[in-house]
Amino acid sequence: MSHPDSARGTPGSPRPLVPVLAVVGVGLIGGSFAAALRRAGQVGEVWGVGRQAATLDQARKLGLIDRAVPLEEAARADLVLMAVPVGATRSTLDGLAPHLGPSTVVTDAGSTKSDVVRAAREALGARISQFVPGHPIAGSEQSGPAAAFPDLYRGRTVILTPLDENPPVAVELVERAWTTCGAEIRTMRPDEHDTVLASVSHVPHLLAFAYMAQVLGAADAGLRLDLAGSGFRDFTRIAGGSPDMWRDIFLANREAMMQETAAVRRALDAFEQAMRQGDAAGLQAMLEAVSTSRRAWRAGQPSPDTNE
């Protein structure tokens, strides 16, 4: 790889963990990753890739990247982070594949993993060993370079779903990069990841979107919104997320999500039946069980909440 000398550090200085980092999609996720590594002194040069020249220029002015490069040049970096919607994974990998450096490691930040792994196998073929799938469990409703900040991943979980073909050195690089950002690593299988995340991330977002749509579709929607309080605000907060991103996630993980939405319907049926029958004791028991478990879970969680 032909990296600039400046990215390798000056003579006698310690070599950074990532001499050259390329970030495809320099928004909240990718920009925060670059900012955290830069603050830790563990990145030499940061290259940015994106469709909008204005966004890349903003990222450069904010100090998130050193320069913008085309995708084919990014493929020669030491580490490439694809912080793109899961629907753009295949096209991004197709653009990287013909130019991939022999020791370049590629990882992603996608919220689904089975489809991402399939896309990587199709795009990279025999070079699949250079791709280490990942998913940081962090985010917010804010987007773009201006939303990025170096503490986004501190104390958060990053799930890696390494492939059998990955050499240990590639997995170690990705692990060390995320831990340098302050994250905690958990390793899972791609299918296991998708089942769990469907339950605790994807379906909650679907429910928030669906509920908001139901309220907005009511004849007196304006009155309802005028009277909405903190409970409504908290429940619908995540419905303000990126439509493009969540469209891709819902479609990519639809099989696991539909299993979870069926389970949600059964839970709703149980509550509805208790109300229909005027079963105060049964309703109380269900509410207490859920409330107690929710308080116990929340007591061990970091604050503030983030969405994935």
Side-chain angles (χ1 to χ4, degrees):
M1 288 178 286
S2 56
H3 298 148
D5 291 340
S6 60
R8 297 185 179 277
T10 57
S13 65
R15 177 185 173 91
L17 175 65
V18 185
V20 178
L21 169 68
V23 179
V24 185
V26 194
L28 171 69
I29 299 300
S32 295
F33 182 75
L37 288 176
R38 192 186 293 281
R39 185 175 66 179
Q42 289 299 328
V43 68
E45 186 171 2
V46 182
W47 299 344
V49 181
R51 293 176 299 177
Q52 303 295 328
T55 299
L56 292 171
D57 186 56
Q58 182 185 23
R60 184 184 57 78
K61 289 178 179 177
L62 290 169
L64 300 175
I65 65 173
D66 296 299
R67 62 189 180 98
V69 301
L71 192 58
E72 54 267 26
E73 185 173 351
R76 299 198 301 272
D78 294 285
L79 178 64
V80 179
L81 172 67
M82 300 191 307
V84 299
V86 290
T89 298
R90 177 60 192 270
S91 61
T92 303
L93 288 168
D94 282 340
L96 289 169
H99 313 282
L100 204 58
S103 59
T104 297
V105 175
V106 181
T107 189
D108 78 309
S111 296
T112 57
K113 294 273 72 80
S114 296
D115 63 310
V116 164
V117 171
R118 283 195 298 272
R121 291 191 183 282
E122 292 169 0
L124 300 179
R127 306 190 75 174
I128 187 63
S129 62
Q130 294 178 244
F131 178 69
V132 181
H135 176 203
I137 311 297
S140 78
E141 290 74 48
Q142 304 302 312
S143 61
F149 64 103
D151 285 325
L152 176 64
Y153 303 112
R154 186 158 302 280
R156 301 297 176 182
T157 298
V158 172
I159 300 173
L160 298 184
T161 61
L163 309 177
D164 291 341
E165 295 90 342
N166 291 144
V169 65
V171 177
E172 181 185 4
L173 174 61
V174 177
E175 287 181 345
R176 289 183 62 194
W178 281 117
T179 56
T180 297
C181 295
E184 299 174 359
I185 303 297
R186 176 168 291 198
T187 300
M188 304 173 72
R189 300 188 315 274
D191 61 330
E192 181 185 19
H193 166 279
D194 290 350
T195 297
V196 172
L197 269 294
S199 175
V200 298
S201 174
H202 306 162
V203 167
H205 282 79
L206 180 67
L207 294 176
F209 279 110
Y211 173 65
M212 191 71 192
Q214 179 263 322
V215 172
L216 293 174
D220 59 348
L223 177 60
R224 296 186 187 198
L225 293 175
D226 285 345
L227 298 178
S230 60
F232 179 88
R233 182 177 62 249
D234 292 346
F235 185 73
T236 60
R237 175 180 62 84
I238 55 177
S242 165
D244 291 348
M245 181 184 78
W246 286 107
R247 173 203 62 205
D248 289 351
I249 292 171
F250 294 163
L251 291 175
N253 204 24
R254 58 184 176 271
E255 294 301 326
M257 287 186 65
M258 287 189 291
Q259 292 180 21
E260 296 301 321
T261 54
V264 171
R265 287 190 185 94
R266 291 193 294 271
L268 283 173
D269 288 343
F271 278 95
E272 287 179 0
Q273 183 176 1
M275 291 188 295
R276 186 179 302 111
Q277 296 176 348
D279 182 4
L283 187 59
Q284 178 76 18
M286 289 190 292
L287 293 171
E288 284 186 352
V290 172
S291 180
T292 299
S293 296
R294 175 59 168 80
R295 288 195 301 270
W297 170 79
R298 189 66 184 92
Q301 297 301 300
S303 182
D305 283 334
T306 59
N307 77 298
E308 301 80 48

